[in-house]
Amino acid sequence: MNKETMIKTAGLTKIYRNAEVETRAIQDVSLEVKEGEFVAIMGPSGCGKSTLLNILGLLDNPSSGTYFFLNQETSKFKEKKRAQLRKKNLGYIFQNFNLIEELNVYENVELPLIYMGYTSRARKRMVLKALEKMHILHRKYHFPQQLSGGQQQRVAVARAVVGVPKLILADEPTGNLDSAHGEEVMRMLNDLNKEGTTIIMVTHSQRDASYANRIVRLFDGQVINENILQSFKK
């Protein structure tokens, strides 16, 4: 595998079963993502976008197929091994922000660093840097309910990038924002990508997808086409 390849899947399939029904959420997905790329995943609701993102984010295992992440074949990893890889390499941005209401902005952004074992001095330096980068430092002692939707998403982005992950996974990151705040979040993601962070984003928005290097389109759990929007150079 090329050393610049961060992600490579082959025949990735996820099947959910109950007593009566078998549902193929994704089927035979083969995908490659280079370090530093910005990839948008698009398709109608229910086509498997979030399932694919969960597998790429090591939150779930596929039913079959292979998934290489940073040259490790992860498709059969147990949760403990997946958690180790997530902790060191991945940041997540969710449509619903997923901030902890009982923690202030500073504490929300600090939380992943505690799990990663950083000292309090290192955590303070990294949190303040991330908050400043996301232009939300002045709100560090506010609680989520005291912030606008755009401000909450900025905090969520700060939390995702504070540990300097190799890969950011964004699931409809502007879905709950008005157009102005959504544009602001997309500019932040674009800046992070220009600095070298690999980004994979699920979106319904063609405007948001226009920031990507490439669009992967899903339909009924399968990749139906890919569009190169702009040349990607390592």
Side-chain angles (χ1 to χ4, degrees), residues 1-67:
M1 192 187 304
N2 189 316
K3 68 178 182 178
E4 295 181 356
T5 298
M6 176 176 283
I7 283 172
K8 188 170 185 178
T9 75
L12 215 60
T13 298
K14 182 66 178 182
I15 301 172
Y16 295 102
R17 294 184 177 93
N18 59 31
E20 300 176 354
V21 179
E22 176 180 290
T23 303
R24 290 179 176 262
I26 59 170
Q27 183 170 335
D28 197 28
V29 171
S30 296
L31 183 68
E32 188 169 333
V33 178
K34 300 284 190 183
E35 293 179 359
E37 270 199 281
F38 191 154
V39 177
I41 300 174
M42 301 191 75
S45 296
C47 73
K49 300 186 301 296
S50 292
T51 298
L52 178 58
L53 201 70
N54 284 341
I55 292 173
L56 296 180
L58 300 166
L59 296 170
D60 198 2
N61 278 339
S63 302
S64 61
T66 59
Y67 174 26

Side-chain angles (χ1 to χ4, degrees), residues 14-229:
K14 182 66 178 182
I15 301 172
Y16 295 102
R17 294 184 177 93
N18 59 31
E20 300 176 354
V21 179
E22 176 180 290
T23 303
R24 290 179 176 262
I26 59 170
Q27 183 170 335
D28 197 28
V29 171
S30 296
L31 183 68
E32 188 169 333
V33 178
K34 300 284 190 183
E35 293 179 359
E37 270 199 281
F38 191 154
V39 177
I41 300 174
M42 301 191 75
S45 296
C47 73
K49 300 186 301 296
S50 292
T51 298
L52 178 58
L53 201 70
N54 284 341
I55 292 173
L56 296 180
L58 300 166
L59 296 170
D60 198 2
N61 278 339
S63 302
S64 61
T66 59
Y67 174 26
F68 284 87
F69 178 67
L70 298 175
N71 293 317
Q72 297 186 67
E73 212 293 89
T74 68
S75 61
K76 300 296 188 292
F77 276 9
K78 301 295 185 185
E79 169 56 21
K80 184 177 180 180
K81 191 72 177 288
R82 293 203 312 267
Q84 289 173 341
L85 268 178
R86 287 198 305 265
K87 187 166 62 174
K88 295 178 180 177
N89 299 291
L90 301 178
Y92 300 87
I93 303 170
F94 302 95
Q95 176 178 352
N96 294 320
F97 318 137
N98 285 10
L99 300 177
I100 298 173
E101 295 292 335
E102 294 78 19
L103 302 181
N104 64 29
V105 166
Y106 183 99
E107 292 164 338
N108 265 283
V109 176
E110 181 187 33
L111 195 59
L113 299 179
I114 294 174
Y115 292 136
M116 294 167 75
Y118 284 96
T119 65
S120 58
R121 178 177 292 183
R123 294 199 305 268
K124 182 176 182 179
R125 173 179 53 81
M126 295 168 76
V127 171
L128 295 179
K129 182 178 180 181
L131 292 176
E132 185 173 18
K133 190 172 193 175
M134 294 302 125
H135 311 294
I136 198 70
L137 182 60
H138 62 297
R139 299 284 191 181
K140 64 180 181 290
Y141 296 129
H142 287 68
F143 288 85
Q145 62 269 27
Q146 297 174 301
L147 305 176
S148 69
Q151 289 171 334
Q152 288 187 58
Q153 192 62 300
R154 274 193 259 170
V155 176
V157 175
R159 181 184 57 190
V161 305
V162 69
V164 195
K166 293 181 174 68
L167 172 64
I168 288 178
L169 298 166
D171 193 356
E172 298 283 2
T174 68
N176 283 331
L177 302 177
D178 60 38
S179 59
H181 286 119
E183 190 75 19
E184 183 179 13
V185 167
M186 290 311 304
R187 284 197 299 268
M188 290 177 192
L189 292 179
N190 190 50
D191 289 344
L192 290 167
N193 178 245
K194 287 179 177 177
E195 292 169 6
T197 304
T198 307
I199 298 175
I200 301 177
M201 173 182 69
V202 161
T203 183
H204 282 99
S205 167
Q206 191 65 48
R207 184 198 66 186
D208 290 357
S210 69
Y211 283 87
N213 307 115
R214 175 164 51 115
I215 298 176
V216 176
R217 296 186 185 276
L218 293 186
F219 187 77
D220 285 348
Q222 296 179 293
V223 175
I224 56 171
N225 63 50
E226 297 188 28
N227 301 110
I228 307 296
L229 300 184

